[in-house]
Amino acid sequence: METLANLESFVRSAETGSFSAAARRLALTPAAVSRNVAQLERNLGVRLFQRSTRGLTLSEAGERFLQTVQGGLDSIQSAIADITVNAGQPAGVLKLSAPPGFGVDYLLPLMPAFLARYPAVTPDWYFDNRPLDLIAGGFDAAIGGGFDLPPGMVARELGRMHLIAVASPEFMRGKRYPEDPAGLAELPAIVMRSPLSGRPRTYVMRNSAGAEMAVVQKPVMTVSGPDAIFPSTLLGLGVGLIAVPHALPHLESGALERLLPDWYSDIGPISLYFASQKLLPAKTRAFVDFVTEAFRTQNLAQVLSIRNQARRAQ
């Protein structure tokens, strides 16, 4: 396989008609250009130039070879120049996945600042609650919980998502308030179906003393994703296990009230998933660092959990 130097020496010599002129364009000596061309001829087994005191003339084989390689060499050089100039500069389409509610509430608000800093990056968002094969799907990064971590992927935890039991005051009027998670079984609930099994999801709640208790819900309605539970609860259809940041404003306004103030369910980490390769594309590295820093500086990890937040609504 020929080196780029040999091919470049041949093409520039053909264009200028001399080794000396080609050498000036390539910042080489005429002897170095001549050696490169001679090596190319030996490797190919054909004479590419007719040499004379008046200069260089392409042979018939040289003419055909020039037509074949000239455009390709220009493309390669343009690509090398582009990657050199833009080395480390985030650019290109960034394919991302996130749960709809979380993505709209916490990731989209970060995008104006991200795009202002990296205008050459084009986020391509897929908002979906279903588990994804990130590598087969060609995703640069994903945010969510419960992903199987395939070989070649790493997870960076952003925070832990906590759920609390809430209901509207109108729904609870005349009803007995539960004393512990087992008591939720007496109240109609909006229940989420597991995307994997198709059966209602089960939860375990814990309290500040460290006690744990399984939650048994009585479905009045089953939904396929968490984004439908919150509005259904707000409409007074039943009890809902709602993520803390979604519930908090409505607890403060009085539209919802928290049942079991000392109990919550930790459904696991919300993580940022991306390839474990050392040389990540600049666009992916920029996104990973930007989101991680935003979660740190804006204290978003605390917003997701019961700590420092839901206690205000107790």
Side-chain angles (χ1 to χ4, degrees), residues 291-308:
V291 170
T292 302
E293 178 66 10
F295 267 71
R296 186 187 66 81
T297 59
Q298 298 180 31
N299 295 317
L300 294 179
Q302 275 128 14
V303 172
L304 300 177
S305 74
I306 201 71
R307 303 178 186 89
N308 305 320

Side-chain angles (χ1 to χ4, degrees), residues 143-222:
I143 295 179
F147 283 92
D148 290 329
L149 200 60
M153 300 293 293
V154 296
R156 181 177 294 180
E157 185 173 320
L158 299 174
R160 299 190 72 85
M161 184 69 79
H162 291 172
L163 305 181
I164 55 176
V166 299
S168 70
E170 292 78 10
F171 173 80
M172 289 303 300
R173 189 172 292 118
K175 294 182 176 66
R176 180 181 177 182
Y177 282 74
E179 297 180 358
D180 56 35
L184 292 175
E186 303 301 318
L187 297 170
I190 299 95
V191 178
M192 192 178 90
R193 184 187 310 112
S194 169
L196 297 178
S197 68
R199 295 189 294 272
R201 284 196 60 172
T202 59
Y203 297 94
V204 172
M205 299 188 81
R206 64 188 63 171
N207 62 14
S208 57
E212 294 187 349
M213 188 175 294
V215 178
V216 179
Q217 295 177 286
K218 183 171 70 175
V220 66
M221 185 168 67
T222 303

Side-chain angles (χ1 to χ4, degrees), residues 27-44:
L28 298 173
T29 66
V33 173
S34 179
R35 284 196 303 270
N36 289 344
V37 172
Q39 184 177 17
L40 178 60
E41 290 177 320
R42 286 195 301 272
N43 293 344
L44 296 176

Side-chain angles (χ1 to χ4, degrees), residues 45 55 70 112 222 242 273 295:
Q70 189 171 25
T222 303
I242 305 297
Y273 299 83
F295 267 71

Side-chain angles (χ1 to χ4, degrees), residues 57-81:
T57 303
L58 281 168
S59 66
E60 182 178 349
E63 288 279 5
R64 292 197 307 271
F65 191 65
L66 179 65
Q67 292 175 9
T68 302
V69 302
Q70 189 171 25
L73 179 64
D74 290 340
S75 297
I76 291 171
Q77 289 183 315
S78 295
I80 292 173

